[in-house]
Amino acid sequence: MAARYGVRVWLALVTVYLVWGSTFIALAVVIRDLPPFLAMSVRHLVAGGVLLAFALPRGDRDGDRIGRRQLAAAFVFGGLLFVAGHGSLAWAQQTVAAGVAALLVGTIPIWMALFDRVAFGRRLPVVAYVGIAIGFAGLAFLFDPFGDGSVDRLGALVIVGGAMCWAIGSLYSRGAPLPRRPLVSAGLASLCGGILLAGYSTVLGEVGDATWTTDATLALGYLIVVGSFVGFTAYVWLLRVAPISLVSTYAYVNPIVAVALGWLILGEEITAQMLVAGAAVLVSVAVILRSGGTSLEPGRGLFAKQRSIAVAAATEPTA
C-alpha cells in the first residue's frame, strides 16, 4: 500500500515502526541502572532543548512566539504526555515486560476515541463501539483480575493510566495555544515535561541512586537520538505527505515489533494470555482507526460548546 506513495514514504513508515517499537526495549535497559524519572528527565531535557535550538531559527517569529500562554500550555501538554505518559511507563517497566507495556500503550487510540466522544461530542459509528468493547475485553483478559495472572497488575494499571493521560494530552493540544509549527511545539512540550520530570526526580531523591553504566548510557542515547529525533522527524514528515490512515498504522504495528524484540533481545516470554489479549487490542485499534474517516454529525459532549467556539474563533480572518 505504501509503495504507491514512493520509496521515501515506505522508508519513513518502516522507520517509525521499528524505532518506536524498539524504544520499549531501550527503556527496559535504561531502568536497570537509572531511576525512571531521572532517566526520562534527561531524555526530554536534551531532546526538547535540541529540537527548539534547531526549529526556532527556521520559522517565523509570529507563529512560533513563546509567551506565558504558550509556556502554560506546554507545561500542561508536556506534563500529560511526558510525565504522566513516559514517566509512568518508565516506572512501571521495572516490573512489566517491554512487550506487555507496548500492548498496553497501544490502547491510546481507544482512549482517544472514547474521550473525544465524551468530552467533545464526536460521534462514532457502531463499528467503533464494537472495537472499543473488543479492546476492553483484551485488557480484562491481560489483567486477569480473578486469576493468578502473569502480569504485575499495579504496573499494568499505571501504564494504562499513562496511556489515558497521553490521549487526554493529545486531545488538549488540538485547541491549546501552542506554537504553530509541530517541531517547535514538540520541542517546547518536551523541554517543559523534562523540567517537571527533573523536579519530581529530585523530590524522590533519585539523583543519588543513579548508576551510569555503559549499557544505560547507550540505551538512553538511543531513546534521545533515535527515538525522539529520528522517529519523531519521520512521523512529522509522514503526516505532511501521506494519508493519516496510512500513518496511523504505527499504532498497531509498534506493539508487534516490541513484543518480537522483547522476546529476541531481552528473552521475554510470549504467553498465550499475551497473544490473545494483544490480538484483541490490535483488532480494536485497527477497527477504530479504520472507522475514523466516517463523517457524522457531532453529538453532545462535556466541552463540545467550548470546542465549537474555539474552532470558530480560529477560523475567523485576522487583520
Side-chain angles (χ1 to χ4, degrees):
M1 181 179 178
R4 67 182 181 182
Y5 299 106
V7 175
R8 289 192 300 170
V9 170
W10 172 253
L11 290 175
L13 198 60
V14 171
T15 297
V16 173
Y17 287 167
L18 295 178
V19 166
W20 283 358
S22 65
T23 53
F24 294 92
I25 313 305
L27 183 54
V29 175
V30 167
I31 59 175
R32 290 174 182 172
D33 301 306
L34 295 178
F37 294 102
L38 174 64
M40 291 300 96
S41 70
V42 173
R43 174 186 181 181
H44 288 295
L45 286 172
V46 174
V50 173
L51 275 176
L52 279 180
F54 171 81
L56 275 177
R58 291 165 173 78
D60 77 278
R61 293 182 180 179
D62 291 335
D64 295 333
R65 186 173 64 85
I66 299 176
R68 290 183 179 179
R69 294 179 69 241
Q70 288 74 24
L71 281 174
F75 271 110
V76 174
F77 185 38
L80 287 167
L81 265 64
F82 303 127
V83 180
H86 282 173
S88 64
L89 174 65
W91 180 86
Q93 272 198 234
Q94 295 176 111
T95 57
V96 177
V100 174
L103 291 174
L104 295 171
V105 171
T107 61
I108 288 175
I110 301 174
W111 297 114
M112 285 192 69
L114 190 60
F115 292 154
D116 205 7
R117 176 63 183 93
V118 173
F120 299 113
R122 182 183 178 187
R123 295 174 59 201
L124 301 171
V126 175
V127 68
Y129 289 108
V130 174
I132 291 173
I134 293 173
F136 282 144
L139 283 178
F141 188 74
L142 190 60
F143 274 82
D144 191 16
F146 303 110
D148 294 333
S150 58
V151 176
D152 176 57
R153 294 191 182 98
L154 176 59
L157 187 62
V158 168
I159 294 175
V160 171
M164 293 170 65
C165 288
W166 188 285
I168 293 171
S170 299
L171 293 173
Y172 164 80
S173 70
R174 295 193 308 201
L178 292 163
R180 187 177 304 165
R181 286 189 301 144
L183 282 180
V184 177
S185 292
L188 184 62
S190 182
L191 187 61
C192 291
I195 292 171
L196 293 174
L197 283 163
Y200 189 55
S201 174
T202 301
V203 170
L204 293 178
E206 288 188 338
V207 177
D209 298 330
T211 304
W212 291 91
T213 62
T214 301
D215 286 348
T217 304
L218 290 175
L220 184 57
Y222 180 89
L223 287 174
I224 295 170
V225 176
V226 181
S228 295
F229 298 153
V230 176
F232 184 73
T233 301
Y235 178 69
V236 170
W237 182 79
L238 280 169
L239 289 177
R240 295 179 178 177
V241 302
I244 190 64
S245 59
L246 180 64
V247 180
S248 61
T249 56
Y250 83 89
Y252 44 89
V253 175
N254 287 164
I256 298 173
V257 171
V259 169
L261 292 178
W263 170 77
L264 182 65
I265 297 175
L266 302 179
E268 294 180 349
E269 183 182 6
I270 300 178
T271 64
Q273 183 184 17
M274 281 179 59
L275 291 175
V276 174
V281 169
L282 296 181
V283 167
S284 170
V285 171
V287 168
I288 291 170
L289 291 178
R290 289 181 67 86
S291 66
T294 304
S295 179
L296 296 174
E297 288 294 324
R300 293 182 178 180
L302 295 177
F303 307 112
K305 184 176 181 180
Q306 293 91 324
R307 183 186 177 191
S308 62
I309 294 173
V311 170
T315 55
E316 288 182 358
T318 56

